[in-house]
Amino acid sequence: MKARPPKAPPVPAHPLYIPESDEVVWDGRFPMQRVRFRYRRADGTPSGLLTWEMWRRGNGALILPYDPWSGRIALIEQFRLPALAAGEEPIMRECPAGLLEKGEDPEATVRRELQEETGFTADRIEKIGAFMTMQGGADEVLHFFCGRVRLPETAAPGTRGLADEHEETRLVLLPAEEAFAQVARNEIRNSPAALALMWLQINAPRLNAEWTSD
């Protein structure tokens, strides 16, 4: 019998969860499970039988680079096939982000991804929070951070990214106020980036005071 992939362990036991079967139907980079189950309703009775396909993405982390001295932020743009499939523009404006390696701390992940995708280093980092991104079909939990970065006057020409992953990212520098306006106009179509920017819009006055005092 083929061993179960480490990225797709059985769903853990819970008083609300009544499992019937749990199988891995695809064992690629991100495994897919087919789970047949019932859940316990509010009155204690079991639901009807459900069959769900669940994508095992695991944990990821992103960082919003912010320069409190100039009031600017840095984002990246890259090609995203699922965006094209959804009828969106395939070049998405995002925060630097990546998946956690086994046993890796989320802050270490964002420090690595920030360097790989922008060339920048954050000397202070604050955690925003952790959020599920697709709870209707995937187990992904995304850890959000904001990092203090001294941004250059203009973005360096060319692109970055890991060549062995065929990754190409382009740096975008924006006044934070313009980025907030883009979110308000629904021009930033990437929800994690929008959420991070909305957090910054609320917290920028505090960060400006704390992060420019040393």
Side-chain angles (χ1 to χ4, degrees):
M1 179 182 294
K2 185 179 179 181
R4 192 176 183 108
K7 291 183 179 180
V11 177
H14 190 278
L16 297 179
Y17 173 57
I18 309 170
E20 296 225 354
S21 65
D22 180 344
E23 59 180 328
V24 178
V25 295
W26 169 254
D27 183 16
R29 184 186 180 201
F30 302 114
M32 181 75 72
Q33 283 172 246
R34 182 185 296 125
V35 183
R36 290 168 59 83
F37 70 102
R38 304 174 195 271
Y39 66 91
R40 207 166 298 283
R41 297 179 181 275
D43 64 3
T45 62
S47 71
L49 184 63
L50 298 167
T51 301
W52 278 22
E53 287 78 34
M54 182 169 57
W55 192 25
R56 302 307 298 262
R57 288 264 307 174
N59 282 253
L62 69 76
I63 185 167
L64 175 61
Y66 177 56
D67 182 338
W69 298 279
S70 65
R72 293 178 300 147
I73 57 97
L75 297 174
I76 60 171
E77 292 181 335
Q78 59 183 318
F79 181 87
R80 292 298 196 186
L81 179 64
L84 180 60
E88 299 279 337
E89 286 296 322
I91 301 298
M92 296 292 287
R93 186 163 288 188
E94 310 173 352
C95 293
L99 296 171
L100 273 63
E101 296 180 358
K102 185 177 181 180
E104 187 176 37
D105 180 76
E107 185 172 322
T109 301
V110 294
R111 289 186 181 277
R112 182 186 72 245
E113 295 295 331
L114 180 63
Q115 175 62 37
E116 288 177 1
E117 296 184 350
T118 70
F120 300 143
T121 301
D123 62 358
R124 290 184 67 170
I125 289 182
E126 180 166 324
K127 184 163 186 179
I128 295 172
F131 305 90
M132 292 201 74
T133 56
M134 297 179 287
Q135 68 275 10
D139 69 338
E140 182 178 66
V141 175
L142 197 55
H143 301 264
F144 286 62
F145 295 86
C146 185
R148 185 176 75 171
V149 176
R150 283 193 179 270
L151 297 175
E153 287 300 316
T154 58
T159 59
R160 298 186 61 86
L162 294 179
D164 60 351
E165 295 182 4
H166 308 293
E167 187 178 51
E168 183 181 75
T169 60
R170 186 175 73 88
L171 183 63
V172 178
L173 304 181
L174 287 172
E177 292 296 331
E178 172 56 25
F180 302 154
Q182 289 183 10
V183 172
R185 296 192 298 263
N186 197 210
E187 293 173 1
I188 293 180
R189 306 284 286 178
N190 173 268
S191 59
L195 177 57
L197 286 165
M198 286 189 280
W199 180 90
L200 180 61
Q201 189 170 18
I202 295 169
N203 287 275
R206 174 181 61 82
L207 293 180
N208 291 342
E210 293 177 1
W211 283 6
T212 58
S213 61
D214 58 1

